[in-house]
Amino acid sequence: MTTSRIVYVNGTFLPFAEASIPVMDRGFLFGDGIYEVTALIEGRLADNEAHLQRLDRSLREIGIPNPYSTAKWTAVQQELITRNGLTEGLIYIEVTRGVSERDFLYPADLKPTVVMFTQAKSVRANAALAKGADVITVPDLRWARRDIKSVSLLAQVLAKRAAAEAGANEAWMVEDGVITEGASSTAFIVTQAKEIISRPLSHAVLPGVTRRAVLRLVEEKHLSFIERTFTVEEALRAREAFFTSASTIVMPVVSIDGQPVGDGKPGPLALQLRELYIETLLGTR
C-alpha cells in the first residue's frame, strides 16, 4: 500500500492518502453494502462481466440501486488500472447504501457510496502452488443469505485468522455435518472414481464466478461433475481436493485438519484446470 496509489471514490479519482468516506456511511456503521473482486492477469480482467452481473444481483437482493451501467463500471475499472499502471492483481469494488445519521431505518432517497481500488498481487504465480494448500475446518457462523456478497465478513475474518494461526492457507466452513464453502472460496473434491464434486448453489453459499468458469472447462473436457454436498470425512478419502476463487483461480488442497488428501501433493486434475483457465483467459489455447 503506497500513497502514490490512485483510488476511486464517488466519481472522483484520488490519491490514496486523500480518499475517505464519511463516518455516517452505512457500510462502515452496519456493513450495509456489497462488494466484488476481479482478478487482473497480464492486463486482462478475468470473468469481469460475470462479476459485474453478480454485483448487480447482490445489490438488487438488498435493495440498493446499482449506480452504474456495466459499461460505466468497466470504464472506471480500466481507467483505474491505467492510472495505477497495474498489469496483475485485483480490482476491488464496494457499493454501500450511502450516508445518513446512524439508525437501522434509512431514508428512501439515499445515494449509494461507490469505492474502487487496485491491489498489485501475483495471481498467476501463486506461492502456495508448489506445495499445495493446507485447509482447516471451522463451524460456519454466517447469516442465512450467503448468496449475497455482503461486506459483512466478520465470520470469514475469524475463520481466516484461525487458519493462519494453524499454519493453513484457507478454512472450510462446516454446517449440519457438511462443508459449505471456504472462507473466501468454493470447495471441491475429486472422488476415487474421478468425479468432481461441489455443493449445489443455494442461499447457503456464494455463487462463485470462478466456480462457474471452471465448470465450463469441466464440461468442455467431458469430465464428470456432480452437484451435491460432501462431508469432511469424504473429503479426506478423496483422490484430490481444491478450491476456486478470483484471487487463487484453482488451488489444490493437500491436507485438511492436518491429514493428507490423496498422496499429500497438489492434484493433477486441479493443476490441469488451473492451466486451462489461464490459457482460456489469455487466449493461448
Side-chain angles (χ1 to χ4, degrees):
M1 184 170 64
T2 64
T3 54
S4 62
R5 183 164 49 161
I6 301 298
V7 302
Y8 179 87
V9 181
N10 291 332
T12 304
F13 293 94
L14 296 164
F16 178 84
E18 298 176 19
S20 64
I21 60 169
V23 170
M24 291 298 177
D25 190 278
R26 291 181 62 86
F28 171 68
L29 294 175
F30 293 106
D32 189 359
I34 299 300
Y35 78 102
E36 276 293 336
V37 180
T38 301
L40 184 75
I41 301 174
E42 292 190 17
R44 300 187 185 219
L45 285 166
D47 302 312
N48 194 49
E49 184 175 345
H51 280 287
L52 294 178
Q53 289 172 351
R54 188 173 64 180
L55 174 70
D56 183 70
R57 178 190 179 275
S58 292
L59 290 169
R60 283 188 282 108
E61 288 294 311
I62 67 169
I64 296 178
N66 192 334
Y68 299 155
S69 66
T70 298
K72 176 66 179 292
W73 279 119
T74 305
V76 174
Q77 287 173 305
Q78 293 291 355
E79 180 66 19
L80 197 61
I81 289 166
T82 299
R83 288 180 183 237
N84 285 283
L86 190 70
T87 57
E88 186 162 347
L90 304 174
I91 316 298
Y92 178 90
I93 295 173
E94 182 169 331
V95 183
T96 77
R97 199 173 301 275
V99 179
S100 65
E101 189 67 26
R102 188 186 184 281
D103 194 320
F104 285 97
L105 297 177
Y106 51 86
D109 60 349
L110 285 186
K111 181 180 179 181
T113 297
V114 177
V115 174
M116 193 184 301
F117 58 80
T118 61
Q119 293 178 305
K121 178 179 180 179
S122 179
V123 178
R124 183 174 181 178
N126 193 307
L129 270 177
K131 176 183 176 295
D134 298 307
V135 165
I136 65 165
T137 58
V138 298
D140 199 331
L141 305 176
R142 300 171 299 161
W143 73 319
R145 288 302 307 274
R146 300 155 191 168
D147 56 308
I148 298 171
K149 201 167 176 66
S150 163
V151 297
S152 301
L153 295 171
L154 181 57
Q156 289 93 319
V157 168
L158 296 177
K160 288 284 191 180
R161 172 49 52 191
E165 289 174 350
N169 305 86
E170 174 64 306
W172 279 4
M173 296 176 284
V174 179
E175 182 178 60
D176 298 330
V178 298
I179 293 168
T180 48
E181 58 190 336
S184 62
S185 62
T186 301
F188 289 80
I189 62 170
V190 182
T191 68
Q192 294 299 330
K194 296 186 179 181
E195 297 167 329
I196 300 169
I197 310 294
S198 190
R199 69 176 296 151
L201 299 181
S202 69
H203 287 175
V205 294
L206 184 73
V209 168
T210 309
R211 171 193 188 274
R212 185 168 75 173
V214 167
L215 290 182
R216 284 199 299 267
L217 297 173
V218 167
E219 182 178 8
E220 178 186 320
K221 293 297 179 180
H222 305 292
L223 302 173
S224 175
F225 171 65
I226 300 173
E227 278 191 325
R228 64 169 175 82
T229 60
F230 59 89
T231 65
V232 178
E233 291 74 19
E234 186 177 6
L236 287 168
R237 295 194 304 268
R239 187 186 191 97
E240 295 183 35
F242 62 91
F243 57 81
T244 61
S245 72
S247 60
T248 60
I249 310 175
V250 179
M251 179 59 64
V253 172
V254 296
S255 77
I256 300 173
D257 291 332
Q259 300 181 60
V261 175
D263 61 3
K265 298 177 182 178
L269 182 55
L271 293 174
Q272 178 191 9
L273 290 171
R274 180 185 179 86
E275 284 308 304
L276 285 172
Y277 180 95
I278 293 171
E279 290 170 2
T280 300
L281 173 65
L282 300 181
T284 57
R285 292 178 60 190

